[in-house]
Amino acid sequence: MKILVAVKRVVDHNVRIRVRPDGSGVETNGVRMSMNPFCKHAVEAAVQLAEAGQASEIVVVSIGPKASNDVILTALAMGAHRGILIETDAALETLAIAKLLAKVVDEEKPELVLLGKQAVDDDSNHVGQMLAALTDRPQATFASEIKLSGDQLEVTREVDYGRETVALPLPAIVTADLRLNTPRNAALPMVMKARSKPLAVRPAAEFGVDLTPRLKVEKVSPPPERVAGRTVGSVPELVAIIAADVNAMEAI
Amino acid sequence: MSVLVLAEVDNGILSPATARVVAAASQLGPVDVLVVGPQSAADAAASIAGVAKVLVSDGSLLADSLTRLLLALTVRYQIVASAASTLGKDVMPRLAAKLDIQPVTDIVAIAAPNRFVRPIYAGNALETVEDSQAKHVLTFRASAFSPAAHGNAAPVEVLETPAHSAAKFIAAHRTESDIPDLATAQIVVGGGVSVGSAEGFQLIEKLGKTLGAAVGATRAAVDAGYAPNDWQVGQTGKIIAPDLYIAIGISGALQHLAGIQGAKKIIAINSDPEAPIVKISDVALIGDLFEIVPQLTAELEKLGLKR
Ligand SMILES: Cc1cc2nc3c(=O)[nH]c(=O)nc-3n(C[C@H](O)[C@H](O)[C@H](O)COP(=O)(O)OP(=O)(O)OC[C@H]3O[C@@H](n4cnc5c(N)ncnc54)[C@H](O)[C@@H]3O)c2cc1C
Ligand SMILES: Nc1ncnc2c1ncn2[C@@H]1O[C@H](COP(=O)(O)O)[C@@H](O)[C@H]1O
């Protein structure tokens, strides 16, 4: 089985971001970037399937500026076999990303495509579902467990009411949630080895997809700020505050 | 512009999020509601104020077949909307791609009929976008909108069941509890990994019970197995907007704060006065949760506050 994994380079999830004062966006210059955490779980899932002898090749693809090479290298160091960078400096919408990925699915014909459930910059949570639509494949989003038997995938999904298990015939699209696995940190030899694995760089324009944005971002603003209130010294004081709040609520 | 709202149905029951999404969607045009579920859920939807018509289907909620059902209906509507729930997140982007539309999701405010505000970067920034496409696919963060009133009796039209899904539903694993719904609760009590065990988490649940509150947890507490996954609050979990949130032994990581920005008041109980949650809480009590929480619960119990 061939697996395609889509990985996105985003502002590192530990960075406290800053909105540009002119409202034009979030400051990304000079900010630490890394692989979107959900994508790491997707890569790990693919590598585990390969280690279990259930996948023969793992191809990783990232769409973004040249620097996105580094997240592909991270995935190669984790155990993926080959990388594709679709290079563009434009900020693409999720529909355009999904269309580019659909072209790659056309070319590579993977039985399974793994993605993160969401990218932690735009928090969209779209691309896997859109790719499933464009390729007419069944989908299982928010996966916390994946089992493969024959050409059937059994996926446990984290949903609002708890968890649910669904079965999908291959080829299929799965998006990873955080409890799917624990992504490995690649050891230094693997990092060295990753540099010699094939990595194709292709301009986004080559795919013949209309990348024009559909939406206009008018402005980006910081959320209302919360500031520290007061500290109370004892449980009875806290009880009085909670009691007053609850009584006020009942009055509504 | 005519709007079709996909109702939120869980276990055959219409969830309270639907009335909130109807309220939001009503700002954009006349609203019909699609209920994929039993007749009783359709009747509940028909009672929501502002609903013109309810369409009901006994089809499946799996994304591929639900997309096909919605796709067949979209010819009649300019806007298709749902809650930004796991159901809405699963199906609406799939529908949008089929329609060649860029969706706008997780909307927390409507600035104008085609201008929407949505949080990005775990709520650390708000993006205002203008959507001038011919059709719109939207999801609303239910907790950001007040519910529409009840007392309507809209007509209900029964739809044919759509084609089967390639995916197959195998089993639901529910967290059985009589605790209020997190996403719409008035009071939420949240516990972190520092409770140390599933037994320790019962301290949190007991306090919640005393207040008639919903119970939330951090990802760390869920990962450790102290609380079920559907209690997780934050960027990856539920987004809450209670009048009161009591955060116990929770550090206040960015990704947790993403889920509680809508809380009117935050009370923190934490042993560390420097914890990020303390820096943004309205009231803080610094100390050991294992001493504070049992005492707090006992005293509140005495007051008989449970609502
Ligand atoms: C992509 C991504 C998504 C994430 N999504 C979420 C999410 O949706 N929700 C979420 O919650 N997290 C999420 N996280 C995880 C998040 O970053 C934090 O790791 C997590 O919220 C920390 O949980 P915690 O507060 O229970 O634990 P800790 O950060 O370990 O904090 C424990 C706190 O308990 C206090 N404490 C310790 N002992 C006591 C005591 N005896 N009495 C009182 N206080 C005590 C400590 O002072 C500390 O403040 C996500 C992370 C990533 C990378
Ligand atoms: N620029 C990109 N390049 C590669 N994969 C992406 C890109 N954007 C999104 N994805 C994939 O789609 C998932 C969901 O992202 P999103 O829908 O943008 O929240 C991510 O976790 C990635 O797996």
Side-chain angles (χ1 to χ4, degrees):
Chain A
M1 178 172 80
K2 189 199 259 191
I3 304 178
L4 179 71
V5 190
V7 298
K8 187 177 187 187
R9 178 175 184 265
V10 298
V11 171
D12 186 87
H13 64 272
N14 289 316
V15 170
R16 186 167 247 307
I17 58 108
R18 208 172 55 82
V19 174
R20 287 194 207 107
D22 65 359
S24 64
V26 166
E27 191 53 74
T28 51
N29 281 333
V31 172
R32 190 150 64 95
M33 308 289 282
S34 60
M35 192 192 300
N36 178 40
F38 293 92
C39 300
K40 274 204 168 163
H41 294 268
V43 174
E44 177 65 32
V47 174
Q48 287 186 10
L49 284 168
E51 285 172 345
Q54 294 187 300
S56 46
E57 189 182 22
I58 303 167
V59 181
V60 283
V61 54
S62 190
I63 303 166
K66 181 141 236 117
S68 304
N69 257 334
D70 59 8
V71 296
I72 296 178
L73 283 172
T74 304
L76 294 175
M78 287 172 74
H81 301 103
R82 171 158 76 78
I84 304 170
L85 169 64
I86 301 182
E87 197 182 341
T88 171
D89 286 328
L92 299 185
E93 288 176 349
T94 50
L95 183 61
I97 297 285
K99 286 179 178 177
L100 288 169
L101 292 177
K103 295 280 186 189
V104 177
V105 169
D106 253 7
E107 290 178 7
E108 297 283 344
K109 310 212 169 6
E111 278 84 16
L112 176 62
V113 186
L114 284 163
L115 304 93
K117 81 161 179 182
Q118 82 194 58
V120 297
D121 46 6
D122 292 333
D123 282 331
S124 294
N125 202 327
H126 298 164
V127 173
Q129 299 86 312
M130 291 176 144
L131 180 62
L134 298 175
T135 56
D136 262 317
R137 293 176 171 208
Q139 72 187 49
T141 48
F142 329 141
S144 63
E145 206 183 323
I146 301 175
K147 270 189 261 164
L148 177 72
S149 44
D151 59 355
Q152 171 113 338
L153 215 51
E154 206 173 283
V155 181
T156 299
R157 310 176 52 224
E158 292 206 3
V159 293
D160 286 341
Y161 69 73
R163 290 171 302 124
E164 68 182 33
T165 308
V166 295
L168 307 178
L170 292 175
I173 311 274
V174 175
T175 75
D177 215 324
L178 297 175
R179 274 177 282 274
L180 181 57
N181 50 43
T182 309
R184 67 195 67 196
N185 279 319
L188 192 61
M190 291 297 279
V191 175
M192 299 308 288
K193 203 174 145 204
R195 299 200 173 274
S196 58
K197 291 184 178 178
L199 201 174
V201 181
R202 298 167 62 183
E206 183 181 292
F207 291 83
V209 172
D210 179 9
L211 304 174
T212 323
R214 305 289 183 83
L215 308 175
K216 197 176 122 206
V217 178
E218 260 179 25
K219 65 168 185 218
V220 175
S221 46
E225 214 174 310
R226 286 195 108 106
V227 289
R230 61 198 171 107
T231 300
V232 293
S234 71
V235 172
E237 275 177 82
L238 192 59
V239 169
I241 290 170
I242 294 173
D245 283 345
V246 173
N247 288 328
M249 273 177 229
E250 279 178 312
I252 294 168
Chain B
M1 289 203 272
S2 53
V3 191
L4 180 66
V5 166
L6 171 65
E8 192 66 29
V9 178
D10 178 35
N11 220 7
I13 296 165
L14 189 77
S15 109
T18 305
R20 293 170 182 261
V21 176
V22 167
S26 297
Q27 296 181 40
L28 307 174
V31 174
D32 289 354
V33 175
L34 170 65
V35 173
V36 179
Q39 184 67 38
S40 54
D43 293 341
S47 78
I48 299 172
V51 173
K53 188 168 69 179
V54 173
L55 310 172
V56 61
S57 159
D58 63 356
S60 100
L61 292 170
L62 290 168
D64 53 350
S65 56
L66 184 51
T67 299
R68 239 173 285 143
L69 174 63
L70 285 164
L71 210 49
L73 294 171
T74 46
V75 283
R76 298 196 240 154
Y77 301 92
Q78 271 104 49
I79 300 174
V80 186
S82 79
S85 57
T86 49
L87 174 70
K89 287 174 178 164
D90 191 41
V91 71
M92 300 303 265
R94 186 168 180 126
L95 173 71
K98 283 281 182 204
L99 292 166
D100 195 30
I101 284 174
Q102 174 67 33
V104 184
T105 53
D106 213 7
I107 296 167
V108 294
I110 300 171
N114 69 341
R115 285 172 59 226
F116 308 105
V117 183
R118 61 179 303 270
I120 55 174
Y121 287 92
N124 289 300
L126 294 166
E127 181 184 64
T128 305
V129 297
E130 186 186 297
D131 177 4
S132 40
Q133 299 169 101
K135 277 186 194 275
H136 312 274
V137 175
L138 313 172
T139 71
F140 293 98
R141 183 178 283 188
S143 62
F145 298 88
S146 327
H150 281 265
N152 189 6
V156 177
E157 183 186 308
V158 179
L159 299 176
E160 264 176 66
T161 307
H164 277 303
S165 169
K168 203 169 87 208
F169 189 85
I170 303 214
H173 318 283
R174 284 176 186 280
T175 309
E176 298 295 348
S177 73
D178 50 2
I179 294 173
D181 172 45
L182 251 182
T184 51
Q186 238 183 337
I187 308 176
V188 176
V189 179
V193 70
S194 52
V195 300
S197 63
E199 294 71 47
F201 209 87
Q202 284 169 9
L203 287 178
I204 311 292
E205 294 174 55
K206 187 143 182 265
L207 173 61
K209 203 160 199 169
T210 305
L211 291 166
V215 179
T218 62
R219 174 190 170 195
V222 176
D223 284 357
Y226 305 161
N229 67 284
D230 51 308
W231 288 6
Q232 182 172 316
V233 170
Q235 186 181 24
T236 332
K238 299 258 164 74
I239 308 286
I240 61 171
D243 291 335
L244 176 62
Y245 180 51
I246 307 178
I248 301 167
I250 290 176
S251 61
L254 287 178
Q255 295 88 0
H256 185 75
L257 300 185
I260 64 172
Q261 277 155 345
K264 287 214 185 75
K265 184 170 190 170
I266 297 173
I267 294 178
I269 298 171
N270 199 301
S271 51
D272 176 10
E274 299 301 319
I277 190 94
V278 174
K279 301 266 181 334
I280 60 129
S281 61
D282 301 278
V283 178
L285 177 55
I286 305 304
D288 182 0
L289 76 91
F290 295 103
E291 282 170 27
I292 293 171
V293 177
Q295 208 184 328
L296 182 62
T297 307
E299 294 201 22
L300 287 168
E301 224 158 39
K302 262 189 265 161
L303 291 179
L305 277 175
K306 190 179 163 84
R307 296 167 317 131

